[in-house]
Every structure is written in structure tokens, then in C-alpha cells.
């Protein structure tokens, strides 16, 4: 039976192993520590550089950019969860969490992986391999962290479904929707104000124009590849979005040797247009061309 919409702290019991607690402690400790610095100094070391890189002039341009809305209630829940886990030193623990605390825990774990990746990047620039080993951010340790974190996130997401069902049973739909909207705005605030871990770099207008030209060329190649595979053309805006996504994946090393410079080095190569075409076809449902 639906509730009256005033109950927002509906919790479920979540049991953690000691290994899971250790993952959560590090993740929550890092993000809560960043928040405390933000409160004390007005900004965190892990804030988006709004003054240096105005969002509306970024590449690609971010339409309707919003930096979120801080919510003290959700932030207090995150701080409370961190304190509770820090106080627990047993081999396992059962904790009562609501759906938004579980979502915050998942976010904190993902943000912590980004933080460690950022730390690895900084140490790589300084060529401090010994520091990477001592801080346990070397390749092997980082791979283990990602694997363990993935298991914890998978477990939390199962509990999140239970917590969602419990909340939706206890409150009306309008209340649930309103709380979710507020949470998403607060999540966006945390992403930009206390957990932004991407390298700043230097503004480079020439590089921006070059990347735009690269996207234009990738779009042209993808169109040719899609036509060769016997499919109707994709929507122009959607195709450009996917080519920007491809360029991002390639920069992150997720496309192997198929980097943007590699593809553009021989734009007429059928294998390269084929590769781009199937990147699109895997993500869009395009209609086949009529048979001759």
C-alpha cells in the first residue's frame, strides 16, 4: 500500500565482508575528505576548473551545462555512512542503508577509481615509479582495485533494487520522483565540486579546431562504411555524437591500435571504414538498404 509521501528514510539491511568494507572505507574517506576541504577552504583540489575552462566553451560544447545543486541532507547521509564504516573493525558488518546511501556508495567507489587513475597519471608524468609501488597504485594493484570494486558495485546494485522497491512501496510516486530529481542534482554537484579527477591540461584552441576536423573526417568515413555494409544513413547529429564517443574511447585506449590518427592516415582503407561502421551499427538500429 502506498504511503503518504513523507517517509524518505526507508532502509534495507546490507551485509558487507571485511574486504568490501575496506573498499568502501577508502572510497568514502576520499570523497568525504574532499568535501571537508571544500567546506573549509571554499573549494576542493578536485573541483572542475570553471575559471580556466568555462563549460560552454569546452570541446565538444556542453549544451545546457549545469553544475548541480548541493543538498545538505544527502551529503550528511554520505558522511554518516563513512563514519559508521570507519567505526567498524569486524570481519563483516550489517548496515542499514536507504537507496540514496547505496547510490552514493556506488558513486564514491567509481570516483575513487578515477582518483587513483588521476594519481597514477601525475606520478607517471613525474616518472616516480617507486612512489607508485609504495602507494599501491602500480599496474597490478590498480587492476586488483578495479576488479574488487566491480564486485562491490555489483553487490550494491542488487541491494539498490531492494531499497528502491521498499521506498516506492512506502511513499507515493510523486515523492519518489521528487527525491530522485534532488539526488541527481546533488550527484552532479559532487561530480564537479569534490570529485573531478580529469587532468586539466592547457586550453588549446588550435587543438580544438583540429579535433573538430577529425570528427568531420570520421563522420565521412563512417557514412561510407555504413553504405558499404548495406544500411541506410544514420541521423547526422547522432552520427557525430558517436564519432565523438569513438574519439574519446580511442584516447582512453579502448580501441586498441584503431586510434583516430591511425584511421585518418588511410581514409580510403575498407577495413578502417568497416571498423567505424560497426562501431555505429553496434549502437544504432539502422534499416537496411533495399535490395537491388
Amino acid at each position: 500500500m502506498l504511503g503518504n509521501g513523507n517517509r524518505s528514510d526507508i532502509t534495507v539491511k546490507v551485509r558487507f565482508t571485511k574486504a568490501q568494507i575496506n573498499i568502501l572505507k577508502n572510497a568514502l574517506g576520499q570523497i568525504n575528505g574532499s568535501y571537508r576541504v571544500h567546506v573549509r577552504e571554499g573549494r576542493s583540489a578536485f573541483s572542475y576548473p570553471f575559471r580556466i575552462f568555462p563549460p560552454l566553451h569546452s570541446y565538444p560544447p556542453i549544451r545546457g551545462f549545469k553544475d548541480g545543486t548541493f543538498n545538505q541532507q544527502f551529503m550528511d547521509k554520505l558522511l554518516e555512512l563513512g563514519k559508521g564504516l570507519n567505526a567498524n573493525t569486524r570481519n563483516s558488518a550489517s548496515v542499514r542503508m536507504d537507496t540514496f546511501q547505496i547510490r552514493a556508495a556506488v558513486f564514491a567507489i567509481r570516483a575513487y577509481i578515477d582518483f587513483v587513475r588521476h594519481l597514477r597519471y601525475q606520478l607517471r608524468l613525474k616518472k616516480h615509479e617507486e612512489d607508485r609501488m609504495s602507494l599501491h597504485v602500480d599496474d597490478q594493484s590498480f587492476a586488483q582495485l578495479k576488479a574488487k570494486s566491480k564486485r562491490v558495485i555489483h553487490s550494491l546494485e542488487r541491494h539498490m533494487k531492494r531499497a528502491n522497491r521498499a521506498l516506492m512501496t512506502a511513499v507515493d510516486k510523486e515523492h519518489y520522483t521528487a527525491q530522485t530529481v534532488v539526488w541527481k542534482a546533488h550527484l552532479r554537484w559532487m561530480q564537479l565540486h569534490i570529485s573531478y579527477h580529469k587532468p586539466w591540461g592547457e586550453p588549446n584552441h588550435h587543438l580544438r579546431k583540429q579535433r573538430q576536423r577529425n570528427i568531420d573526417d570520421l563522420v565521412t568515413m563512417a557514412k561510407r562504411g555504413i553504405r558499404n555494409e548495406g544500411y541506410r544513413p544514420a541521423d547526422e547529429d547522432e552520427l557525430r555524437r558517436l564519432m565523438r564517443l569513438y574519439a574519446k574511447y580511442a584516447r582512453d585506449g579502448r580501441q586498441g591500435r584503431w586510434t583516430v590518427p591511425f584511421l585518418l592516415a588511410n581514409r580510403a582503407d575498407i577495413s578502417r571504414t568497416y571498423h567505424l561502421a560497426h562501431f555505429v551499427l553496434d549502437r544504432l538500429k539502422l534499416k537496411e538498404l533495399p535490395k537491388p
Side-chain angles (χ1 to χ4, degrees):
M1 185 174 69
L2 291 178
N4 59 12
N6 294 324
R7 301 169 62 192
S8 59
D9 294 323
I10 308 302
T11 62
V12 295
K13 189 177 182 180
V14 182
R15 187 168 186 82
F16 295 111
T17 64
K18 186 174 183 179
Q20 291 174 327
I21 290 175
N22 288 336
I23 292 288
L24 279 168
K25 278 183 179 180
N26 291 333
L28 293 171
Q30 197 280 325
I31 198 167
N32 287 344
S34 180
Y35 169 69
R36 293 188 183 96
V37 172
H38 175 86
V39 172
R40 185 172 63 250
E41 301 180 6
R43 69 178 304 277
S44 166
F46 304 111
S47 298
Y48 180 89
F50 292 97
R51 294 182 180 179
I52 299 176
F53 299 102
L56 295 179
H57 297 88
S58 62
Y59 177 79
I62 304 175
R63 297 179 181 177
F65 182 91
K66 296 181 180 179
D67 62 350
T69 304
F70 175 76
N71 183 276
Q72 189 65 59
Q73 181 182 7
F74 283 134
M75 198 70 234
D76 288 343
K77 287 184 177 184
L78 192 57
L79 294 170
E80 177 186 351
L81 180 61
K83 290 179 181 178
L85 289 174
N86 280 329
N88 194 302
T89 57
R90 294 177 296 175
N91 291 332
S92 62
S94 293
V95 182
R96 297 206 66 87
M97 302 170 66
D98 65 28
T99 182
F100 299 109
Q101 284 180 309
I102 297 175
R103 297 181 197 194
V106 171
F107 164 70
I109 293 172
R110 288 174 173 155
Y112 184 71
I113 293 174
D114 288 340
F115 163 72
V116 175
R117 183 180 289 111
H118 178 74
L119 182 58
R120 283 164 49 84
Y121 171 79
Q122 290 182 319
L123 293 175
R124 184 167 64 248
L125 290 180
K126 298 176 181 178
K127 299 181 180 180
H128 288 179
E129 188 63 32
E130 293 183 0
D131 290 341
R132 293 175 71 181
M133 296 287 290
S134 63
L135 293 172
H136 302 290
V137 295
D138 56 284
D139 292 347
Q140 182 178 357
S141 298
F142 188 51
Q144 291 176 351
L145 172 65
K146 290 193 292 185
K148 291 178 181 179
S149 297
K150 185 177 181 180
R151 289 194 290 269
V152 179
I153 289 174
H154 181 69
S155 175
L156 286 169
E157 287 177 339
R158 291 202 312 270
H159 292 298
M160 190 192 304
K161 293 179 181 178
R162 293 174 48 225
N164 280 339
R165 289 195 295 267
L167 180 58
M168 294 177 71
T169 301
V171 304
D172 55 52
K173 184 177 180 180
E174 290 75 14
H175 177 83
Y176 176 83
T177 301
Q179 286 287 295
T180 301
V181 169
V182 174
W183 159 252
K184 288 181 178 179
H186 179 67
L187 174 62
R188 181 63 171 165
W189 183 91
M190 291 193 295
Q191 289 172 333
L192 292 174
H193 290 270
I194 59 175
S195 60
Y196 188 83
H197 302 301
K198 296 181 180 179
W200 286 13
E202 294 292 336
N204 190 325
H205 302 294
H206 174 73
L207 177 60
R208 182 186 309 164
K209 291 181 179 179
Q210 181 60 51
R211 286 182 174 177
Q212 288 175 338
R213 288 193 292 268
N214 288 347
I215 295 300
D216 292 340
D217 292 335
L218 290 178
V219 167
T220 301
M221 292 177 65
K223 285 180 178 178
R224 187 163 64 249
I226 291 170
R227 184 173 61 252
N228 291 342
E229 291 303 301
Y231 289 88
R232 294 182 182 274
D235 176 76
E236 184 76 15
D237 290 341
E238 191 67 5
L239 185 57
R240 290 190 68 82
R241 182 188 70 81
L242 286 177
M243 290 302 96
R244 288 195 295 267
L245 180 65
Y246 182 91
K248 179 181 184 302
Y249 283 2
R251 288 195 298 271
D252 293 343
R254 296 170 63 177
Q255 291 296 318
R257 70 186 182 96
W258 301 90
T259 62
V260 173
F262 174 80
L263 293 175
L264 297 182
N266 188 351
R267 304 173 196 187
D269 185 357
I270 295 177
S271 65
R272 305 184 195 204
T273 57
Y274 175 89
H275 180 75
L276 280 178
H278 279 271
F279 183 88
V280 176
L281 293 172
D282 289 343
R283 291 160 176 81
L284 293 181
K285 292 183 178 179
L286 300 182
K287 294 182 179 180
E288 294 185 7
L289 290 169
K291 301 296 182 182

